[in-house]
Every structure is written in structure tokens, then in C-alpha cells.
Amino acid sequence: MSRGRSDDAVFDRPTEKCGVVGVSLADRDAALPTYYALYALQHRGQESAGIVTHDGFQQHQHVGMGLVGDAFDEDDVEALRGNAGIGHVRYPTAGSVDKSCAQPFSVSFKGGALGLSHNGNLVNADEVRARLADQGHAFTSDGDTEVIAHDLARNLLEADLVPAVERTMNRIHGSYSLTITHDDTVLGVRDPLGNRPLVLGELEDGYVLASESAAIDTFGGDLVRDVRPGELVVLHEDGAGYDSHQLVEEPNTAHCFFEYVYFARPDSVVDEELVYEVRRELGRHLWREAGVDSDVVMPVPDSGRAFASGYAEQAQDAGSGVEFAEGLMKNRYVGRTFIMPTQSARERAVRLKLNPIRSTVEGRSVTLVDDSIVRGTTSSQLVDLLREAGANEVHVRIGAPPITAPCYMGIDMATRDELIAADRSTEEIADEIGADSLSYLPLDAVTAAIGKSEADLCAGCVTGEYPFDVAGEESDRDAERPDVDAPADD
Ligand code: SF4
């Protein structure tokens, strides 16, 4: 089965993780708004989708495989009663690719009912799972979300809601943005380094939590703010407000810089920055750092579009006569179901997905702009396509540094062996993809464009130094793994 967003299935892309939603409304069912919000987050996961609601008496759940539109029909949404709801779209980063790992995860226990949606990846899930198994917990999946749910359920038997969440946060280690229902109370939790995004929005009759602000826009809500790293937000059951609890504080954050580069929607605001504007700014920096005079600059659609427009704007401001044009036309109907059993089928898929506009390309020097190169397979095919369409020169400009290391926070970056930049110089990569020249944007220019210091961003996949303590890898800070064997009340 293909994985990730439809372009990821065809192109050589890092694949994003999951999308989460939480909704608490005054006096209408939360399921329909949650369903619409999941549509807005579809790019964050396409393997499965699900919603859990609670009506004050009973928890309801529906999960299904595939896109949101495949996983639910009207009756499924109608059956999910209750003013409190959470939702999830999933790309599996830990655990199997089947319905047993579809989220939200739900569990009923002596202390009530829990529903839990997770975006992120725990790096100590096995240790926490083993400890809980020793204490008698039985697991139905191999995913890390169930580990969080069991740990929280256990803590809720011994403590009130806020200290119970705090205990769980002190035990789990890794990246997590969570939306949770505990009976009909909706919670949002963000990991202490804020690696994954989570925002809070206000509706006319309630509040919403979501991975990206674009989901809040879908129901005409207003973005209130980002959920802070290490914060628990508790939405009131009557939809009239929320409480904030800062449970863990770290001196620095570790926001994933790739959210700005590729994962998040351009129309989303992530940690106070509009993603589209960040991408245009990355494009401007790219011209300043590595601009090349050519006849035309064009994006790889759709991922390179904002970068290319910023690049061209900066070039024209600097007096270059470069034209900004679309040179590759996208076939929107080649989707995730396209069967690609062999390398030649995958190569054909790129040609089915993108076709050059010969008049823009023929007899001209072309600069092709994109956000990243993972394995390099797509880049070389795109260069070939442009040359076949008559380009005299093809220069490739990338709005991020070379990806040299895997991601342990759940993004599928491929293994180190598969990454084209892991053991090659930029010149060697240019040769391999057949480009006349290739330049990447250095990390300091990326941080400048994002407007955050390097100390507040995760850039592990380009530096090989991670903000979490990952076995066998370097860490760029002192974040130590929690002692999972410590007594719960420590
Ligand atoms: S390693 Fe890369 S993709 Fe993974 S969280 Fe860090 S910046 Fe994001």
C-alpha cells in the first residue's frame, strides 16, 4: 500500500506524520466539525481516519482505513453523539498498517473512558510499554499511542486529571501533540520541546484544538494561539472556555523546521509564522545565497511554488531578467492508489504526474526550485524531463539544507543508506541527478527565514544532532530520558 500524501506516493518526499483534532461545543454534536477538520488535515495522514466522541454518558468511536471520505459515511458521523470529540488522520510511523493501529485509540477503565489521538513518536515507548506490561496491562496494538493511553489511564486511577497528565508527560520521551477525551472533557497536550504543532482556536459556541490552524479556518473559527510546549489545555465541557496548565518547562523548544519547509499547509500558521510567507522568505534567501542567472525559474509543483515565487521576486529585485513561469504541469488525478511495484513503474508515475510545458522550457536555461531532495530519484527524472523538452541548462535550487540523517520523531525520511546526501558532496549529487548546478540553502539562512534561533528548532535530519536522547545518535541538548521505573509519585 502506498503511504503518505498522494504526491509522496509518487515523488521522493519525506512523509509527514499525523493530524489531530479536539472539539468541545456548547450544545451540538462535535462529530461533524471534527470530520471537516480532518478533511483540512488530510495531507498529514492518509492511511486511516477516526473520531471518538463522548455524550456525557457513553463514548462512541468510528475508525476506518483510507482517506477521510473513505473511512466515514454520513451514518457513521451521525452515530457519533456528544459535544466532546477528537479526531485523527494517520500516517503510521510506529506500529502496523492496519485498523488495530487506527486512531483515536479508546479505552474504558475504572476511572472512565479515554480517547487519545497522537501526532509524534515516542523514543522510549518500548520501555514504558514493558513497565506497564509488568504491571498487568495488556496491549492490543504495537503502536506508541496505546502506551500513552494506558499510562494515563493508570495515573487517572491514582490522581486527578492535571497531575495524572503531568505524571505521564514525565514518563514518556519524544515528540507528541495529543488530543484526548476523558469522558466528555477534551484535552490538548504538547510535548515539552514543542516538536509537533498544536493550535487552539475559538468557535462561536466552543473551542477547538488542531495540528494546524487551517483546520480551524474550515469552520470559520479564530486562531487563539499555539498550545505552548509542555502545556496542557483543558477545554470546558460547556464550550465556554479553557484552562491552561504549564506542566513541563524546558529552556528551549525544538520545533520541527520541516513543518515550515514541507509538511504543514502553506495557509497554516505554525508557531506564530504563516507557512506560506516562510516559504517565500526561504526562496528569497535562496536567491541571495545561491542565485543563478537563467532565463526562467519554475517550481516543482506544488511543493516548490512558494519558494520559487520568493526566489524569482528577489532575483527581479536584484535586476535579474529571469522570468517566473510554470514549466511542469501536474496531473491531479494520479493519486495514492496508483500501483508502483517496480522502479520503472515509479519512474513512469513521475511522468504521469508531471509533464513539461515545452514553450516555457525549449531552448532556455531553467532554474528548478523545490523544498528538499531525499533519495534523489525524482530530481533526476525531473531534470531528464526538462532536458527532453529542450532545456539548454537545468539548475536545481533547494530551499533547505541536504538531508543527511533519519528522523526519529516520526517523519519518514528514509534510512541513512537511502539518503542521497548522506555520503555525497553537493557536486556529486548534481552529477548524479544530471543538473548543471545544484545548491541548497544553509541552515542559518533557514532559521533566519523562519525567524527562530537554531537553538529553538529541531534540525536533526540535516545536522545528525537530535533534541531528544536517541540511542546511538548525538544529541544537541541535555534532554535526558526519563526513568520509567521511577515510582509514579516521584
Ligand atoms: S529530524 Fe527533521 S523531520 Fe524530524 S522532527 Fe527534526 S527537523 Fe523535523
Side-chain angles (χ1 to χ4, degrees), residues 88-321:
H88 192 266
V89 284
R90 179 167 191 263
Y91 161 71
T93 55
S96 342
V97 187
D98 64 38
K99 212 168 160 181
S100 73
C101 276
Q103 296 185 35
F105 189 82
S106 75
V107 58
S108 292
F109 65 114
K110 233 173 25 188
L114 271 182
L116 200 140
S117 294
H118 174 207
N119 171 209
N121 196 52
L122 299 189
V123 295
N124 71 341
D126 290 346
E127 294 159 54
V128 180
R129 175 191 293 268
R131 184 179 191 277
L132 289 164
D134 283 349
Q135 292 167 341
H137 288 253
F139 292 86
T140 60
S141 74
D142 56 358
D144 53 359
T145 306
E146 189 178 3
V147 172
I148 304 173
H150 277 266
D151 194 76
L152 182 55
R154 183 171 189 86
N155 292 334
L156 281 165
L157 291 176
E158 299 167 355
D160 291 338
L161 182 66
V162 175
V165 173
E166 188 173 8
R167 282 183 188 181
T168 293
M169 290 176 78
N170 284 327
R171 179 155 298 144
I172 59 179
H173 186 54
S175 63
Y176 52 90
S177 278
L178 307 171
T179 53
I180 303 170
T181 46
H182 178 223
D183 297 334
D184 57 351
T185 303
V186 176
L187 320 174
V189 182
R190 198 170 176 200
D191 73 64
L193 298 179
N195 184 252
R196 309 319 316 165
L198 189 65
V199 290
L200 173 68
E202 185 173 5
L203 311 176
E204 265 180 17
D205 58 347
Y207 282 83
V208 56
L209 295 149
S211 293
E212 292 184 34
S213 62
I216 298 168
D217 299 338
T218 56
F219 14 77
D222 294 320
L223 174 64
V224 175
R225 62 173 172 82
D226 296 281
V227 175
R228 288 185 278 270
E231 182 185 13
L232 161 67
V233 172
V234 183
L235 306 186
H236 295 174
E237 289 88 344
D238 59 4
Y242 64 91
D243 296 322
S244 159
H245 306 270
Q246 190 64 46
L247 298 183
V248 187
E249 275 192 83
E250 293 284 346
N252 287 98
T253 58
H255 304 311
C256 167
F257 90 96
F258 246 96
E259 287 286 345
Y260 297 101
V261 168
Y262 178 66
F263 303 134
R265 283 173 50 150
D267 51 337
S268 282
V269 176
V270 174
D271 288 304
E272 300 181 347
E273 308 294 338
L274 178 63
V275 172
Y276 178 73
E277 275 311 323
V278 170
R279 287 182 192 163
R280 276 176 52 83
E281 187 60 14
L282 287 164
R284 291 185 198 106
H285 278 271
L286 193 54
W287 166 266
R288 282 184 229 132
E289 295 277 342
V292 55
D293 262 322
S294 61
D295 297 321
V296 60
V297 54
M298 59 184 59
V300 175
D302 298 311
S303 52
R305 194 162 280 131
F307 294 84
S309 95
Y311 178 97
E313 181 190 277
Q314 191 68 47
Q316 287 157 2
D317 284 355
S320 162

Side-chain angles (χ1 to χ4, degrees), residues 28-43:
R28 64 183 165 116
D29 285 344
L32 194 58
T34 305
Y35 171 76
Y36 289 138
L38 292 181
Y39 259 107
L41 298 177
Q42 185 75 84
H43 60 291

Side-chain angles (χ1 to χ4, degrees), residues 443-457:
L443 188 56
D444 58 352
V446 172
T447 58
I450 294 173
K452 301 194 189 315
S453 96
E454 209 171 309
D456 285 323
L457 290 171

